[in-house]
Amino acid sequence: MNRRIVVGLDGSTESVAAAHWGAREALLRNAPLHLVHAEIWSPPLGVPSAGSEERRQAARTLLREASDELLDKHPRLEISAESFDGQPARSLAHAAAGASMLVLGSRGLGTLRGFVLGSVGMAVIHSVEQPVVLVRATEDALPHAQGRHLDRGVVVGVDTGRPCDALLSFAFGEASRRGCTLHALHSWMLPPLAGSGSAYNPEVNAQIAQVERTGLDDMLRPWRDMYPAVDLDARVTVGPSSEQLLEAGSEAGLVIVGRRIRRSSVGTHIGPIAHAILHHSTAPVAVIAHE
């Protein structure tokens, strides 16, 4: 892994916010920042190529101005830039190969609470195994925020029924670098009909809750030992996981979710919980691929 943080830049407010978020993350990791712009400049066969050079020049200007702005705020930052002529999703995946993180901007839906992940963002998430962080243009992500986002905690959703070392490694590492609280959240559902009261048994449900709590503690124990300085808040809650994570992450500096790596080209490549968090979280969201 080459350690660098790669940021996709297209000139939108969201991608500029992603660049500033990525710059602060690079400084935390003492890593270089690599800005990437990708679009198709070559016209189809039979179509005049007028304008292609102008678009290339515009891309170079965009990257140079972004680099200058970042260096003005972060003089110690090591920055490089690169533009690609090709499909953006494929180019970004290529640029991210071997990097420690890929950061992308994500457009909000006006006054509604949520992400709009275009085909590029979703395709990149599906195709890369590096951590991908989606950043909205919120106050904490914009240039003038400085390090304000570091004061907020990190939230990670944990499924005790699946191995998730990659997820927990990333989460504990982020909390350690930021010096903030790590909120590890595991949610479980009541047995069928329990919500209506007809099948609700307080003793049975208390036993289930204890089993779930023990499972979470067992999963987190090696990481507690590895990161003794991290302030860990481990919680077991009842209810849909996506709703619980969205509520816990509403004031977080980063929400972390996992997605299973699928080798097959058939079927979905991102689970329903990660999908919901990506579309509705107001905080930056890191998607961690794991087996």
Side-chain angles (χ1 to χ4, degrees):
M1 185 172 288
N2 60 24
R3 297 189 311 115
R4 70 181 182 180
I5 307 293
V6 176
V7 178
L9 194 66
D10 62 9
S12 67
T13 302
E14 293 75 24
S15 74
V16 171
H20 283 272
W21 191 96
R24 293 190 289 266
E25 184 70 22
L27 288 171
L28 275 178
R29 293 167 173 255
N30 191 30
L33 185 73
H34 187 59
L35 303 179
V36 174
H37 175 83
E39 65 174 299
I40 298 175
W41 296 322
S42 305
L45 288 176
V47 177
S49 61
S52 294
E53 182 54 38
E54 288 81 355
R55 292 167 68 183
R56 289 187 177 91
Q57 181 58 46
R60 288 191 289 266
T61 300
L62 169 68
L63 292 169
R64 184 180 65 252
E65 291 179 349
S67 297
D68 290 345
E69 182 178 353
L70 291 172
L71 284 173
D72 182 60
K73 292 187 175 298
H74 311 289
R76 296 186 297 107
L77 187 62
E78 179 186 342
I79 302 179
S80 58
E82 186 175 16
S83 61
F84 288 94
D85 179 4
Q87 292 288 348
R90 189 177 304 166
S91 298
L92 287 168
H94 172 76
S100 60
M101 181 187 297
L102 173 63
V103 186
L104 302 174
S106 192
R107 179 170 53 87
L109 244 180
T111 58
L112 297 178
R113 186 166 172 263
F115 282 105
V116 175
L117 288 181
S119 58
V120 172
M122 192 59 78
V124 170
I125 292 172
H126 289 172
S127 61
V128 305
E129 296 186 7
Q130 289 77 23
V132 180
V133 179
L134 282 298
V135 179
R136 286 182 60 184
T138 61
E139 284 296 306
D140 284 348
L142 291 172
H144 62 264
Q146 297 299 332
R148 193 165 62 202
H149 73 299
L150 301 179
D151 297 331
R152 303 182 186 275
V154 171
V155 174
V156 60
V158 180
D159 181 355
T160 59
R162 298 182 185 275
C164 52
D165 283 354
L167 184 73
L168 292 175
S169 176
F170 185 89
F172 274 86
E174 282 297 304
S176 177
R177 277 184 287 269
R178 293 162 181 247
C180 68
T181 299
L182 174 60
H183 304 278
L185 184 68
H186 170 64
S187 299
W188 62 282
M189 297 294 294
L190 288 169
L193 303 178
S196 65
S198 58
Y200 180 75
N201 184 317
E203 293 184 3
V204 171
N205 284 284
Q207 291 173 1
I208 296 174
Q210 184 57 51
V211 169
E212 298 291 346
R213 177 71 205 199
T214 300
L216 180 61
D217 288 342
D218 289 346
M219 179 171 278
L220 294 176
R221 187 171 295 111
W223 299 97
R224 288 180 186 267
D225 295 340
M226 198 178 306
Y227 291 90
V230 170
D231 178 24
L232 179 63
D233 170 32
R235 282 182 277 167
V236 174
T237 62
V238 180
S241 297
S242 57
E243 293 180 9
Q244 302 295 320
L245 273 173
L246 285 170
E247 181 178 352
S250 60
E251 297 296 328
L254 182 66
V255 177
I256 305 170
V257 294
R259 76 163 184 90
R260 294 185 66 191
I261 297 172
R262 292 180 59 93
R263 306 300 180 188
S264 170
S265 60
V266 179
T268 59
H269 290 245
I270 185 170
I273 296 173
H275 190 274
I277 301 304
L278 282 169
H279 284 80
H280 297 289
S281 174
T282 55
V285 178
V287 182
I288 311 302
H290 61 86
E291 297 291 348

